[in-house]
Amino acid sequence: MQAEDVPLLPRGVRCHFDTVRKVDVLLGPERVLMLDQIGLAILQRTDGEASIAQISDDLAQTYEAEREVIEPDVIAYLQDLRERGFVHVRSA
Amino acid sequence: MCAAPNPPMAMLAELTHRCPLACPYCSNPTELAAKETELSTETWADVFRQAADLGVLQLHLSGGEPASRSDLVELVIAAREAGLYTNLITSGIGLNERRLRALDDAGLDHVQLSLQGITAEMADRIGGYTGGFKRKMHVAELIDQIGFPLTLNAVMHRENLDDLPATIEMALRLNARRIEIACVQFQGWALTNRAALQPRAEQVVEAKRTVAEAVERLRGQLVIDFVPPDYYSDYPKACMNGWGSTGLNVSPDGTVLPCHAAAIIPGLEFDQVQARPLRDIWYDGPAFNAFRGTDWMPELCQGCERRDIDFGGCRCQAMAILGDATAPDPVCRKSPGRATLDALLAEDRQGVEAPEYVYRR
């Protein structure tokens, strides 16, 4: 995946707050992923409109962090979710 | 048990044992629950709410053929109202456009469609149901049109394992997001047909090669999960990810099982949802505590570095092959029971021509 790619959560994948375990989870076809704060922050910005670059800009601003550090992390995170079927990429 | 068990993540609701297919590999018990004993719509809806309160996130609606229940749409509505991620495990028989659109409106999250073969000739022969393949392909098209995420569950064995590359291609053609290449596990009825279904050693080698190649080639396009034929494995499967650790199973008549084959283990005491709250069954039910954690394990498993990887394997397989549910899974190369399993495998492989199937009717 690249900075200009636009990630999205396809139908059948959604964030959910698990009230029993008190944790945010990502639910998908026959898979559950427990989300940490960083994962949740990325997925909250994965709206099918924003590119990885834009998501990274927003995260850098919100968390006052180095953008150059954030973007590769965002790419790696979304790439991993894509391989597990949680994330799709909108074709440009 | 030292630590308290975790809440369950997943529940398999076997809505009915009725099924139009007669697959020789059926893993359901040899004794099926009759229609008259099936739970009502209201009871299932209550069980779904209890499951969600208990911590279940994913609900698998299975059977038998869940579409054989006339109240399937109502059950999906109830499951979604309870907040559960709802997956329908079906052969497609009993679904049509009207019903699928109603399931869509009800909020069904995902469909897992079983596949018996890639041609009508093969699939209808395995399923024992003429015309089934054609109907299934039509259902697959409708699933794609509506936009349900689709997993193709390809049940593989001696007769169709050579078709694996074409099976993966079919998953792509049907726009499936995921394929589960499920080599037959010998539980329930499938044991009756073990010799006919057991793949040959060279088929297994080739299948593993095909899977490894496809995983690389289709990364990001198709999720591929492979369930190997475990008689050929060195170590047992992590059955249920550990007994009473992650999932539970409710039979058509309301019996709650730690796994769907557990009823074959003598001496286990099972609760029913009609008689006891699901929470009590999960935490305190005698069947769930029978093999929970590591205390029950024989020394061989207790001291093994794989103890927390495969949890001693499958209790039902130890029971079926060795007559002792507390023994290490006989698949394990370290297990004394492996010799018994190897003898069965050698027997299965002797026949050049596979024996005829005993259909489940």
Side-chain angles (χ1 to χ4, degrees), chain B residues 251-273:
Chain B
S251 309
D253 67 357
T255 307
V256 187
L257 305 170
C259 84
H260 87 299
I264 69 157
I265 300 177
L268 284 188
E269 211 182 299
F270 301 110
D271 290 297
Q272 288 199 296
V273 291

Side-chain angles (χ1 to χ4, degrees), chain B residues 56 143 201 229 247 257 294 317 337 351 354:
Chain B
V56 168
I143 288 169
L257 305 170
T294 55
Q317 183 140 279

Side-chain angles (χ1 to χ4, degrees), chain B residues 25 126 155-161 184 197 199 203 357:
Chain B
Y25 59 69
I126 304 290
V155 188
M156 310 300 288
H157 44 82
R158 181 165 170 162
E159 195 164 338
N160 64 8
L161 197 50
V184 168
L197 296 167
Q203 285 183 300
Y357 297 134

Side-chain angles (χ1 to χ4, degrees), chain B residues 265-294:
Chain B
I265 300 177
L268 284 188
E269 211 182 299
F270 301 110
D271 290 297
Q272 288 199 296
V273 291
Q274 302 93 316
R276 202 175 177 191
L278 200 61
R279 176 180 299 276
D280 293 358
I281 298 174
W282 173 258
Y283 287 107
D284 302 323
F288 280 86
N289 283 314
F291 301 109
R292 203 171 234 159
T294 55

